[in-house]
Amino acid sequence: MTEAKGPRREGSLDAPTRHPLDWRSPDFNDPAKLEAELERVFDICHGCRMCFKYCDSFPVMFDIIDSKHDGDVRKMSAPETDRVIDACFQCKLCDVQCPYTPRDSHEFQLDFPKLVHRYQAVRAKRDGVKLRDRLLGDPDGAGAMARASLGVANKLNRVGLHRWFMEQALGIDRRKLLPDFAGTTFERWAEQAGKVIDEPGAETVLFQTCFVQNNEPQIGRDTLEVLEKNQVGCGCLKGLECCGMPAWEHGDLATLRKHAKHNLDALMPHVEAGSKVLAINPTCSMMMRREYPELVAAEGRERAKKLAEAVRDPSEYLWSIREEARFNTDFKSTPGESVAYHAPCHLRAQAIGFRGRDLLRKIPGVVPKMTMECCGHDGTFAMKVEGYEASQRHGKNSFDGMKAAESEVWATDCPLAAIQFAQHAGVKPMHPMSILARAYREDGFPKRVE
């Protein structure tokens, strides 16, 4: 941003703009229009200051404007703007709390996380995407390479010298606990188990997510088991890809659109036939619900809208049939009275309630104790050298909150949050679907249901 003189322009709190950011506009990549939107949004945020606690973006912005530019946002330099943008890790909590959003039909039409994405996309188009960001943005590719190593990749990720090399060469922090790669993908298991369907018509279809596909297939297996216990027909599909969020984190709009088109091609015949799409990871369901309709290429937007309307979280869908006769509460074992439950940020951003927590209450005697703070993992942010310590700092309240529950069993709907808790709080939470699956079994937990 450059220094400007004269009276406050439209865009300040004194005169809010009435022409919001238009993602479909050909002006999306126009540097001058992006700069004008940055000034508008930064000025509103500087005057409001409600979001000082969610990430470092806002404290950094406020400090720069106050201490260096005497309150004039127009004097911010490009490197200073980079600092603000790069401190955002897309938890979306500022959007949840902001009173000026399109969701609330406010005239400001402010969406800070999407502005960050736009800035990153323009920067990526100008400067290219870093090698590290391309690798982190392709979890399916990483999973394929890891499986080809026959387990060597998992071992190397525990070797200090190898991690030092990764840090020096790629900027992936050597201290970060990385998830293991499964030897067999979820899709491969589903195919062998006869769960893959070719013809549309199932009540639901599963979007297992790249993490379940490549890292923890058991979560997907548990989800199918729970759905079967409740007589919910659910089919698995071959060839689904990452939702695209890891690429979009780094401004790689082209890769996001490639993944989105592929997934739309695979899912839409089933959506057209009436199936709901159950996405296990809240980040993926958020992407398909909120981002696809606005970010896919023009020819795919109507399909993306239909997909968004069909997407559900597995717990959300199961909760929707709780009054039906098929809803199964015949639990055989219990994790105990207290279960520490973490509410993921991207679940909160969707405003669908905490149905995983609500379902856990159906297990006799279980009283979930909630923690609402961000864990700080936030996609690939915690894996990076520049993000690792900040992620730990931002996640401290959630670590402390889960510990304070004094529960043996912890739960979260986000598999990446589970890794963050495992490293920094000493306990790895289970997905609610995994807890429910075990509770349906007599030997699932040490305690039997009386």
Side-chain angles (χ1 to χ4, degrees):
M1 299 180 189
T2 57
E3 182 174 356
K5 298 180 179 180
R8 293 172 73 90
R9 305 158 304 153
E10 183 178 14
S12 73
L13 283 172
D14 298 329
T17 190
R18 288 167 177 80
H19 38 268
L21 169 66
D22 184 357
W23 290 78
R24 295 171 174 80
S25 169
D27 295 330
F28 179 85
N29 290 304
D30 187 312
K33 289 183 170 58
L34 173 58
E35 182 173 336
E37 180 67 0
L38 286 163
E39 290 182 5
R40 179 184 83 88
V41 171
F42 283 14
D43 197 29
I44 294 171
C45 292
H46 179 254
C48 174
R49 304 200 179 212
M50 181 180 289
C51 295
F52 65 92
K53 65 178 182 178
Y54 296 117
C55 70
D56 288 340
S57 288
F58 299 101
V60 167
M61 179 204 306
F62 302 154
D63 181 63
I64 290 172
I65 296 172
D66 290 340
S67 64
K68 296 186 66 176
H69 303 310
D70 195 28
D72 191 345
V73 66
R74 294 168 290 177
K75 295 180 180 179
M76 288 184 66
S77 66
E80 289 169 343
T81 301
D82 278 339
R83 283 184 59 200
V84 173
I85 295 297
D86 291 338
C88 170
F89 44 67
Q90 291 293 338
C91 70
K92 310 292 187 184
L93 293 184
C94 64
D95 184 62
V96 171
Q97 296 297 322
C98 179
Y100 306 130
T101 63
R103 178 188 62 250
D104 296 320
S105 300
H106 195 279
E107 60 185 346
F108 287 9
Q109 297 285 290
L110 193 153
D111 191 325
F112 190 90
K114 285 187 177 179
L115 177 62
V116 170
H117 273 316
R118 182 187 180 190
Y119 187 93
Q120 291 169 324
V122 172
R123 184 169 59 184
K125 186 173 183 178
R126 182 190 69 218
D127 302 335
V129 180
K130 297 177 183 177
L131 174 61
R132 176 196 64 184
D133 295 340
R134 288 193 180 279
L135 291 173
L136 292 178
D138 184 18
D140 288 326
M145 288 190 293
R147 286 188 296 278
S149 77
L150 302 177
V152 173
N154 290 336
K155 293 180 180 179
L156 286 176
N157 282 342
R158 304 292 185 265
V159 175
L161 182 61
H162 175 70
R163 292 301 302 272
W164 177 87
F165 175 79
M166 287 177 63
E167 181 175 281
Q168 297 301 311
L170 300 174
I172 297 174
D173 198 286
R174 65 182 183 273
R175 295 166 292 179
K176 181 70 182 76
L177 176 64
L178 298 177
D180 282 337
F181 292 96
T184 301
T185 64
F186 171 81
E187 181 184 299
R188 175 72 181 220
W189 169 84
E191 196 170 16
Q192 293 173 342
K195 307 293 185 182
V196 173
I197 61 173
D198 296 316
E199 296 298 321
E203 179 180 354
T204 65
V205 292
L206 192 68
F207 188 86
Q208 70 264 25
T209 76
C210 60
F211 188 88
V212 170
Q213 169 77 344
N214 296 299
N215 302 99
E216 291 196 40
Q218 186 61 46
I219 299 175
R221 297 170 68 172
D222 290 338
T223 299
L224 290 178
E225 181 179 345
V226 171
L227 294 172
E228 289 171 3
K229 288 285 186 181
N230 289 272
Q231 301 177 47
V232 175
C234 186
C236 301
L237 308 182
K238 291 185 65 175
L240 292 173
E241 295 182 355
C242 171
C243 71
M245 182 59 166
W248 188 221
E249 282 185 321
H250 309 115
D252 189 352
L253 182 57
T255 297
L256 181 151
R257 284 179 167 168
K258 179 180 73 71
H259 288 311
K261 182 181 184 304
H262 179 94
N263 290 329
L264 282 167
D265 290 344
L267 291 167
M268 284 311 296
H270 301 272
V271 171
E272 296 284 3
S275 300
K276 301 301 181 187
V277 178
L278 307 186
I280 291 176
N281 191 326
T283 297
C284 306
S285 58
M286 181 192 69
M287 280 294 293
M288 291 190 287
R289 272 176 156 154
R290 293 183 50 178
E291 308 292 348
Y292 275 18
E294 295 186 346
L295 294 176
V296 298
E299 63 272 14
R301 284 178 184 149
E302 288 306 314
R303 293 198 305 162
K305 288 179 183 178
K306 291 181 180 179
L307 174 62
E309 293 170 357
V311 170
R312 301 287 187 275
D313 177 86
S315 296
E316 177 190 9
Y317 189 80
L318 192 57
W319 185 253
S320 74
I321 68 165
R322 68 190 182 281
E323 301 298 334
E324 298 181 21
R326 59 177 169 162
F327 186 70
N328 189 344
T329 57
D330 185 21
F331 297 103
K332 305 296 186 184
S333 63
T334 175
E337 179 179 347
S338 173
V339 173
Y341 173 81
H342 169 252
C345 301
H346 291 170
L347 195 62
R348 295 175 62 186
Q350 295 177 71
I352 59 174
F354 308 115
R355 301 314 183 195
R357 174 206 63 184
D358 296 338
L359 288 170
L360 294 178
R361 288 174 173 158
K362 295 293 185 179
I363 303 173
V366 171
V367 180
K369 297 181 179 179
M370 285 191 66
T371 292
M372 298 279 284
E373 302 289 343
C374 176
C375 75
H377 198 293
D378 298 292
T380 63
F381 179 78
M383 300 179 183
K384 302 172 184 177
V385 169
E386 66 269 28
Y388 176 81
E389 291 185 359
S391 78
Q392 187 175 3
R393 171 166 47 83
H394 286 296
K396 184 178 185 304
N397 287 339
S398 69
F399 310 150
D400 293 344
M402 293 291 273
K403 290 177 182 178
E406 298 183 343
S407 306
E408 291 185 12
V409 175
W410 291 14
T412 182
D413 307 83
C414 177
L416 286 178
I419 296 172
Q420 185 82 333
F421 284 113
Q423 178 167 14
H424 298 300
V427 178
K428 185 178 181 181
M430 299 170 63
H431 194 281
M433 287 290 123
S434 295
I435 295 176
L436 291 168
R438 288 178 59 175
Y440 281 125
R441 309 171 197 150
E442 290 190 3
D443 61 349
F445 292 101
K447 296 181 182 180
R448 300 287 185 88
V449 172
E450 299 297 333

